[in-house]
Amino acid sequence: MNIMLFHSTYGLRPAVRDAADRLRAAGHEVWTPDLFEGRTFETVEEGMAFKDELGKDELLKRAILAAAPYSERGLVYAGFSLGAATAQTLALGDDKARGLLLLHGTSDIAETASVDELPVQLHVAEPDAFEPDDWLTAWYLQMGKAGADVEVYRYAGAGHLYTDPGLPDYDEEAAEATWRVALGFLETL
């Protein structure tokens, strides 16, 4: 599978590269574009301030330019938190998308979004301050309305970015469970 993996608001951290290596070891081809052009951040607030300064349109433009050379292959879009939101936006706009793997995040869905049974898997903490229950319920219903085939996995007690060993949110048990399920999902695509 060809996977475009987008980083979180922390930037292209070692955990993203490690995740890409894990996916490569499972036989996938993986790209990890650096949408922040080398910048990484120690806190969510610093990363969000940089993202806001950069602007949503510029971030999306960078993501589209990163994916464009490979989209003809039929990409699986994936990402962490902010990167998941970016992946979702690209997947819903790419009729050749093979799947969508969302780790710790979702995004708004355009009313006109339409996909043909796009396989989608979401892994998120429970509770998660960035992905509240009301939001996730509405998101799930909208994704279904758009035509996606959605699976949601919740991890009780885990922090928001629980798959990143370099952050306080890290939860080894939840992270390993996530990767087992996600790798199985990718095998079905």
Side-chain angles (χ1 to χ4, degrees), residues 64-83:
I64 290 168
L65 289 172
Y70 311 103
S71 63
E72 285 297 315
R73 300 179 186 196
L75 290 170
V76 172
Y77 291 93
F80 297 94
S81 193
L82 171 68

Side-chain angles (χ1 to χ4, degrees), residues 13-85:
R13 297 170 44 82
V16 179
R17 291 186 183 94
D18 293 346
D21 288 344
R22 184 186 292 242
L23 294 167
R24 288 182 188 109
H28 304 290
E29 191 162 356
V30 184
W31 296 273
T32 55
D34 187 350
L35 303 182
F36 288 178
E37 298 177 335
R39 301 277 309 266
T40 59
F41 302 95
E42 295 299 315
T43 68
V44 170
E45 293 78 18
E46 290 172 354
M48 292 301 280
F50 178 77
K51 176 202 68 108
D52 291 344
E53 181 182 311
L54 190 63
K56 187 176 182 178
D57 290 344
E58 178 61 23
L59 185 70
L60 191 56
K61 178 179 138 189
R62 290 178 182 188
I64 290 168
L65 289 172
Y70 311 103
S71 63
E72 285 297 315
R73 300 179 186 196
L75 290 170
V76 172
Y77 291 93
F80 297 94
S81 193
L82 171 68

Side-chain angles (χ1 to χ4, degrees), residues 67 70-72 74-75 77 88-98 114-115 118:
Y70 311 103
S71 63
E72 285 297 315
L75 290 170
Y77 291 93
Q88 176 187 305
T89 300
L90 268 62
L92 292 179
D94 181 352
D95 61 357
K96 290 185 174 54
R98 300 278 306 274
S114 177
V115 292
L118 179 71

Side-chain angles (χ1 to χ4, degrees), residues 9 12 33 42 48 70 80 135 160 167 175 181 183 185:
T9 193
L12 187 56
E42 295 299 315
M48 292 301 280
Y70 311 103
F80 297 94
W135 168 263
H160 175 66
L167 296 175
V181 173
L183 288 169
F185 169 70

